Amino acid sequence: MADSLAAALDYEKQPRWSFRDLIVLTLAAALLVTLRLHAFSLPLETDECNYAYIGSRLLAGDRLYVDVWDHQPPGVFALFAGVIAIFGDSPLVFRWMAMAFSLASLLLLYAIARRIGGRAAGITAAFLFALASSDPGAAGEGCNREIYMNTLILCAWWLALEPRNLIRVFLAGAALALASSLKTNVAIHWLFLCVVLVFALIRQQMSLSLKRAATVIVIFSLAPAILWSGTFFYFSMTNRWHEFIDAVFTFNLAYSDASQNILQRFGQFFTPKRHPFVFESALALWLVGGVATIWLAIEMIRRKSVDAALVLALVLAGYVATCLPGWFWPHYYYLMIPSLVLGCTVLVGRIVESATCLIGGDVVLLQEPKPNTLRRILPCLIIAVVIAALCVTEIRHYLLQAPFGITVKRYNSRDFWGQGQGENVARVTDPDDRIFVFGNDASIYYYAHRRCASRHTMITGLHAGYPGADERRKILLDELSRDPPRLILVVFNEQPWNEWKEFLRKYYGEPIGWDFRDGTRNDPIMFVLARKDRPVPEIDWNWDRSSVGGWLPKSHAPTSFER
């Protein structure tokens, strides 16, 4: 049987989009919006606050990697800065931005699935993604980078459906280039899509020449080469070459050098130690997606199926991109959600084909197969079971949860805690005061609306053992010594070093407040220091989770890192 993707490349035979497609997309979009609105009251998490804070500082004239420092590539900060410039920096702005990207991902998934398997496949993909797009286990309800990366990656895969169209091939590379400016591990997706493009061309043109294949790969590589060459040139011309390379490449490679070896990471994906609940709220999707992945591999080998290769490449690229950093934060797993949706869709479509063939029905691509009872009932039954199971877990772990319950297992109370301490800082300082948080809690700057006294909004780069940590520590103390911040919040994330202790003794007295682990009075997680010459009003710094209706699952033991 001819491969469905290869047949779909005949544009004139493609069924046109109709009013029915619009109805399906409208209903799926309405479901997605309804589910996402449930989490709109949640505070932003610390990463999201960091993007927003740095984006606002860039608009104020600060320079990335010099005046504000982070180890991410510049794209995410440019994205947040652009949105802030137009709409402001309210948390709702970023919630709606994530909503818009999620809706775009839904549309792309529908288009890809419809092109490969017809309207029924598109409907399945649209509603599965609408249900799973806000999955709390993979931080889908948030505003982190993976949400935006997914949209650009899916755009690249949709454009790659027509590998003979060189304009679309170039645009596919451009989409991945933009995604890589958000997170560099998108290079994995570029490699996998390169292989699929060549494989698709070989299937369509058995006499494919080396020159033709090379031309396609060069065109596919052109946009990433232009974007990253331009980025290197820009930071070089603005005298930030060293800082840019040190942050985005040197430090990032060291940050990804986790304790386990590279092969162990691929196994740990299935049993993440810190966050074993990643899979539970979308369990049906993960299980059926896993079966679909095995089937896709068999299908690609046995039938040399291009559409199976396309979806399998998307699944594997997300898997590798999730594993390589070695940290397994829940939001890393969100890269897998769209590919699993497509895998489930293609698997169900294949079951339909098999069922039709078994009872003597004709399978004619891009035309309606002869109707029969089994063909109608079997796929509907499978889809209904998967959707019902997904609904049950999403309702239990998401819709029935209070705001605090959605995130508590993921990062304990870190998002609510950051908001609460930010509000405490705002109560005792003036708008022009600078503060410093010795920790990885940029949410305090965001919710306090106070400026960080250093370029280091998070102290990950100061951790002992990372390349350049000593130099960054020296820079930190130089910056803080010029105008010591009025307030310093010391979170127990990293052991203090001697020069840091001397700085604190010189400019700061005894702690003016402590924050203790919930339910204890002798297990501090943070203390607060005020400048000797600029005291602040006394308040209670011991944040209580009960103030936001907080609770803690019995099976979850909090750590100072999470809090």
Side-chain angles (χ1 to χ4, degrees):
M1 186 183 70
D3 186 82
S4 59
L5 178 56
L9 295 176
D10 190 340
Y11 316 134
E12 294 182 358
K13 292 183 180 180
Q14 277 295 302
R16 295 180 180 277
W17 284 42
S18 66
F19 184 69
R20 283 188 295 174
D21 294 291
L22 179 61
I23 293 296
V24 168
L25 287 170
T26 300
L27 292 174
L31 177 60
L32 185 150
V33 170
T34 301
L35 291 173
R36 277 200 163 272
L37 286 174
H38 180 61
F40 263 42
S41 63
L42 286 173
L44 298 180
E45 292 181 357
T46 186
D47 285 348
E48 299 158 5
C49 289
N50 197 40
Y51 307 148
Y53 174 80
I54 292 180
S56 65
R57 292 311 312 161
L58 296 181
L59 292 174
D62 283 359
R63 297 169 300 162
L64 188 58
Y65 309 120
V66 173
D67 301 316
V68 282
W69 190 94
D70 197 272
H71 62 95
Q72 313 300 344
V76 65
F77 307 113
L79 173 63
F80 273 67
V83 170
I84 292 170
I86 300 172
F87 301 106
D89 67 348
S90 163
L92 287 180
V93 168
F94 308 118
R95 296 284 178 198
W96 281 110
M97 177 172 69
M99 178 90 78
F101 273 83
S102 295
L103 288 170
S105 293
L106 185 147
L107 175 61
L108 288 163
L109 277 169
Y110 182 79
I112 294 170
R114 189 182 186 278
R115 172 62 68 84
I116 292 175
R119 183 177 285 112
I123 293 172
T124 303
F127 280 95
L128 278 177
F129 183 73
L131 283 170
S133 64
S134 301
D135 176 57
E141 89 293 336
C143 311
N144 222 315
R145 286 176 296 171
E146 283 72 16
I147 291 172
Y148 320 118
M149 292 161 61
N150 270 337
T151 304
L152 293 168
I153 290 167
L154 288 171
C155 184
W157 250 257
W158 174 70
L159 290 164
L161 286 171
E162 298 170 11
R164 291 179 294 185
N165 186 325
L166 297 184
I167 294 177
R168 289 177 65 106
V169 169
F170 173 79
L171 293 175
L176 288 184
L178 290 173
S180 70
S181 74
L182 302 176
K183 198 169 184 178
T184 51
N185 65 355
V186 172
I188 299 298
H189 285 80
W190 182 87
L191 289 172
F192 274 89
L193 196 48
C194 271
V195 175
V196 171
L197 284 172
V198 173
F199 179 64
L201 287 169
I202 292 173
R203 287 283 287 146
Q204 295 165 37
Q205 306 172 34
M206 297 306 293
S207 60
L208 179 69
S209 66
L210 181 62
K211 181 179 179 181
R212 175 67 176 176
T215 300
V216 170
I217 297 305
V218 167
I219 291 175
F220 183 57
S221 310
L222 193 57
I226 292 172
L227 184 142
W228 281 100
S229 295
T231 302
F232 292 144
F233 179 75
Y234 169 75
F235 284 105
S236 177
M237 294 303 294
T238 54
N239 297 316
R240 286 177 283 167
W241 170 264
H242 170 73
E243 290 81 3
F244 167 65
I245 296 296
D246 175 63
V248 177
F249 297 100
T250 305
F251 180 84
N252 251 341
L253 288 173
Y255 180 76
S256 298
D257 186 19
S259 57
Q260 75 275 36
N261 65 45
I262 196 73
L263 293 178
Q264 287 178 322
R265 299 180 190 185
F266 292 99
Q268 191 178 336
F269 173 93
F270 303 99
T271 56
K273 295 179 181 178
R274 286 193 183 122
H275 308 286
F277 50 82
V278 164
F279 306 107
E280 65 184 12
S281 49
L283 185 60
L285 182 63
W286 287 100
L287 291 176
V288 179
V291 173
T293 301
I294 297 171
W295 172 81
L296 286 168
I298 296 172
E299 191 77 353
M300 186 190 70
I301 295 171
R302 187 171 64 88
R303 301 175 63 211
K304 296 182 173 57
S305 168
V306 176
D307 50 349
L310 185 90
V311 180
L312 180 63
L314 184 58
V315 174
L316 293 179
Y319 171 59
V320 175
T322 302
C323 293
L324 281 184
W327 288 94
F328 299 102
W329 301 122
H331 58 90
Y332 287 11
Y333 287 79
Y334 195 70
L335 282 179
M336 297 288 297
I337 297 295
S339 60
L340 293 176
V341 166
L342 280 178
C344 294
T345 301
V346 174
L347 177 59
V348 171
R350 180 56 175 154
I351 291 172
V352 173
E353 283 187 11
S354 300
T356 306
C357 293
L358 282 173
I359 64 170
D362 295 330
V363 179
V364 181
L365 289 169
L366 308 176
Q367 298 179 20
E368 289 295 329
K370 292 181 178 180
N372 57 70
T373 304
L374 183 58
R375 178 187 175 275
R376 291 173 177 172
I377 293 178
L378 185 60
C380 292
L381 181 61
I382 296 171
I383 293 168
V385 169
V386 174
I387 288 180
L390 187 58
C391 283
V392 168
T393 52
E394 290 295 342
I395 289 171
R396 178 184 177 187
H397 296 286
Y398 181 58
L399 288 181
L400 292 182
Q401 296 293 335
F404 189 88
I406 295 173
T407 65
V408 63
K409 289 186 293 185
R410 192 159 65 232
Y411 300 124
N412 195 1
S413 49
R414 191 172 185 175
D415 43 5
F416 287 88
W417 176 85
Q419 181 184 39
Q421 294 296 7
E423 292 168 352
N424 282 340
V425 169
R427 288 168 57 194
V428 300
T429 59
D430 300 322
D432 293 335
D433 287 335
R434 298 191 180 197
I435 66 169
F436 183 70
V437 179
F438 187 79
N440 292 321
D441 300 279
S443 50
I444 294 176
Y445 302 119
Y446 176 78
Y447 283 106
H449 301 285
R450 299 294 183 266
R451 187 172 178 181
C452 177
S454 168
R455 70 185 66 183
H456 293 284
T457 57
M458 303 173 92
I459 66 165
T460 305
L462 308 176
H463 287 193
Y466 284 133
D470 291 338
E471 180 183 354
R472 294 187 201 100
R473 289 179 173 186
K474 182 177 183 302
I475 290 172
L476 170 71
L477 292 177
D478 287 344
E479 291 173 339
L480 297 185
S481 298
R482 292 174 201 155
D483 183 16
R486 186 175 184 185
L487 211 63
I488 291 181
L489 287 75
V490 180
V491 186
F492 295 168
N493 286 101
E494 173 71 0
Q495 290 296 322
W497 61 98
N498 291 334
E499 292 80 3
W500 171 248
K501 293 178 182 179
E502 291 174 5
F503 168 79
L504 295 181
R505 293 191 189 100
K506 181 176 181 180
Y507 294 103
Y508 299 87
E510 293 297 314
I512 62 169
W514 294 82
D515 188 12
F516 297 91
R517 194 186 306 279
D518 296 301
T520 69
R521 301 299 299 183
N522 57 1
D523 189 8
I525 62 172
M526 183 192 79
F527 61 86
V528 184
L529 301 170
R531 263 175 58 169
K532 293 177 181 178
D533 58 344
R534 297 194 64 194
V536 300
E538 292 186 7
I539 64 169
D540 183 7
W541 291 92
N542 190 36
W543 184 80
D544 184 1
R545 71 171 68 234
S546 65
S547 64
V548 294
W551 54 274
L552 190 67
K554 294 180 180 179
S555 61
H556 182 66
T559 65
S560 59
F561 178 83
E562 291 174 314
R563 171 70 179 274

